[in-house]
Amino acid sequence: MRYWVWLTQLPYIGSVSANRLLDKFGIPEAIYNADREDLVKITGINNRQIKSILTNRKLDQADSILDNCEKCGIFILTKQDKLYPDRVKKYRDAPPILYYKGKIRELKHTVGIVGARRCTQDTKQFVAELTAKFVSDNHTIVSGMAKGVDSYAHTVCVNAGGYTIAILGNGLDLCYPSEHVKLMQAIEEKGLLLSEYPPGTRPTRYSFPMRNRLISAWSDELVVVQAGKGSGALITADYTRKYNKSVCFYG
């Protein structure tokens, strides 16, 4: 596991590059031990990335992350794990590892529900009724635990006894937004918390679009409710279209 964590912490190596390396070498430990001659043969890996691999052959950071995971009750799912969904791993930008809390289930049909952070009472009611309908049809609800539509969808699903997945743009030892502590605890108990970021990682403007692509990847279809211009929900919708999945807009 330490080599998986090492790979994902390398400077200049993102998910796409990491997956190219894994396609060639099979396992992260082989990448760790690769020489320059082997690395230069890989299409799409540049000199800066090769230098990053060759000059960062230390496992101290990976070991520290694993220690923090153990302290925080955080587990790690790798792309080689049978519980890593095929619907996600097939994409070239799929994270090689995901940190998680809660229960991983085999997924049948998943629905992403995202939208406005500020909602009218009518919008809240609409989201509640829509989510309850999906839960009654035994669909998994996927969202980002943000204020507004995201949190309403998660809450209704949990209260209805459904299974929900919250994908976060920060480490799972942090709650963002902070007022969702109880919701986060409820999702951990009855659903699944996911992040591609190790414990201690705070949310940034960059991490949220990355989180949104995962919502799209884990969702078989996406529902967008009252998304404003330039909102994260529309970024999620763009990724969903890129992945050739259905997007429905309301409001």
Side-chain angles (χ1 to χ4, degrees):
M1 188 63 73
R2 61 204 306 235
Y3 292 99
W4 283 95
V5 175
W6 166 82
L7 176 62
T8 61
Q9 297 304 304
L10 285 172
Y12 311 118
I13 303 289
S15 294
V16 174
S17 298
N19 287 325
R20 285 174 177 155
L21 290 162
L22 288 169
D23 287 343
K24 173 65 176 179
F25 292 99
I27 58 174
E29 187 174 359
I31 301 169
Y32 184 90
N33 293 316
D35 57 30
R36 177 177 289 274
E37 291 182 1
D38 292 327
L39 293 168
V40 297
K41 296 175 184 177
I42 303 176
T43 303
I45 302 299
N46 60 41
N47 287 330
R48 183 168 67 171
Q49 293 169 319
I50 292 172
K51 182 179 179 181
S52 179
I53 295 168
L54 296 175
T55 59
N56 287 284
R57 284 179 167 159
K58 294 181 179 180
L59 296 171
D60 296 357
Q61 184 183 16
D63 289 338
S64 177
I65 289 172
L66 288 172
D67 286 343
N68 288 333
C69 285
E70 185 174 358
K71 291 174 184 176
C72 298
I74 297 171
F75 301 92
I76 297 177
L77 183 71
T78 77
K79 282 188 69 179
Q80 289 185 343
D81 194 302
K82 64 180 182 180
L83 288 175
Y84 196 118
D86 290 337
R87 58 160 63 78
V88 180
K89 69 173 63 174
K90 67 181 181 180
Y91 300 118
R92 57 196 293 267
D93 58 355
I97 68 173
L98 286 165
Y99 299 88
Y100 74 92
K101 280 186 168 187
K103 303 173 180 65
I104 299 181
R105 297 182 183 177
E106 288 192 24
L107 304 175
K108 292 183 179 179
H109 192 85
T110 58
V111 180
I113 302 178
V114 296
R117 283 178 166 77
R118 295 182 179 180
C119 302
T120 64
Q121 196 59 43
D122 287 343
T123 301
K124 295 178 184 178
Q125 184 64 30
F126 173 78
V127 172
E129 292 174 358
L130 184 69
T131 303
K133 176 63 168 62
F134 283 129
V135 172
S136 69
D137 291 337
N138 203 30
H139 295 343
T140 295
I141 305 300
V142 183
S143 198
M145 212 179 79
K147 295 179 181 179
V149 169
D150 290 31
S151 64
Y152 301 140
H154 287 307
T155 300
V156 171
C157 184
V158 168
N159 290 340
Y163 183 68
T164 187
I165 299 172
I167 303 179
L168 310 186
N170 48 269
L172 297 182
D173 57 328
L174 306 172
C175 183
Y176 184 87
S178 58
E179 59 263 36
H180 286 171
V181 170
K182 290 185 178 180
L183 175 59
M184 188 174 181
Q185 291 172 344
I187 295 172
E188 180 181 349
E189 290 174 4
K190 299 181 179 180
L192 181 65
L193 298 166
L194 284 177
S195 176
E196 63 183 308
Y197 301 106
T201 305
R202 297 196 171 276
T204 66
R205 291 179 65 185
Y206 173 78
S207 67
F208 285 122
M210 294 297 95
R211 180 274 307 273
N212 294 342
R213 95 185 189 285
L214 288 182
I215 294 174
S216 297
W218 281 72
S219 302
D220 294 324
E221 61 179 296
L222 183 72
V223 175
V224 181
V225 183
Q226 287 193 338
K229 185 178 181 181
S231 68
L234 294 183
I235 295 174
T236 309
D238 288 342
Y239 274 112
T240 305
R241 292 194 193 95
K242 175 184 174 183
Y243 295 152
N244 296 315
K245 298 178 181 181
S246 171
V247 182
C248 294
F249 289 90
Y250 295 93

